[in-house]
Amino acid sequence: MKALVRALATLGGIGFSPIVPATVASLVVALIGWFLPVPAWPVTVALFVAGTAAAIWICGEAEKELGHDAHPIVADEVVGQSLALIAVPHQWIYFGVAFVLFRIYDVWKPLGAREAQKLPGGIGVVIDDVIAGATALGTLHLGRWLLARWLP
C-alpha cells in the first residue's frame, strides 16, 4: 500500500525530479489534459470532486512517510492544474496561459492559500493548490472575456 500511495502522491515518481518537481508535474498534467477528450460538465465536476478527495487522502498518507507538504508530493498539482484547465479552449495558447498562471499563483499563494497550506494533513497540502487553480481559472476566463469585449 505504501508503494502505491507513494506512486500516486509523486505522480509516478515525477515528484522526485531534481529540478522544480511541482512545475514538471503541472506540465505533465497540462500535456495529458491536451490529449484527453473533454467530458460533459456533470462528469467534469464529479471527476474534480472525487480527484480532490482522493488527493487529500493520498497526500495525507504520503506526508507520513515524506514529511509535511514535501517536495516530492505533487498530487496536489494534479488537482490545481486540472482546475486551472477547466473550460479552457483547446488551443495551445490557452493551455500555456493556464499552466503559467497556475504556477505563478501556486508560488505566490494569493487569497489565503498560504494560510490554507498550514492546515493539517492532506487538506493543507491540496487546498492551496485548489485556491491557486481557481485563481488561475478565474484570471484566464476574465482575461478572455475582457479581450473579447475590447477587441473586434
Side-chain angles (χ1 to χ4, degrees):
M1 182 66 152
K2 281 186 178 184
L4 177 60
V5 168
R6 186 181 320 107
L8 292 171
T10 64
L11 195 56
I14 289 171
F16 292 109
S17 169
I19 301 171
V20 292
T23 300
V24 173
S26 294
L27 182 60
V28 167
V29 170
L31 289 172
I32 290 170
W34 178 260
F35 292 101
L36 291 178
V38 178
W41 270 105
V43 174
T44 298
V45 171
L47 287 172
F48 180 75
V49 170
T52 301
I56 289 169
W57 181 80
I58 289 164
C59 292
E61 290 298 306
E63 276 191 323
K64 294 174 184 175
E65 180 183 339
L66 300 171
H68 180 64
D69 207 1
H71 290 294
I73 300 173
V74 293
D76 51 333
E77 267 70 35
V78 174
V79 172
Q81 186 65 68
S82 296
L83 179 56
L85 290 168
I86 289 179
V88 169
H90 197 262
Q91 296 174 19
W92 70 267
I93 188 73
Y94 293 117
F95 269 62
V97 169
F99 166 75
V100 169
L101 286 172
F102 173 68
R103 292 309 310 141
I104 288 169
Y105 291 137
D106 191 30
V107 171
W108 180 24
K109 305 215 180 297
L111 305 173
R114 189 167 313 283
E115 292 77 17
Q117 189 176 25
K118 296 174 186 171
L119 292 169
I123 190 114
V125 176
V126 175
I127 197 68
D128 71 300
D129 290 82
V130 169
I131 293 169
T135 307
L137 177 70
T139 302
L140 189 143
H141 288 292
L142 177 62
R144 286 187 64 229
W145 180 80
L146 290 171
L147 285 173
R149 260 179 89 71
W150 291 335
L151 295 178

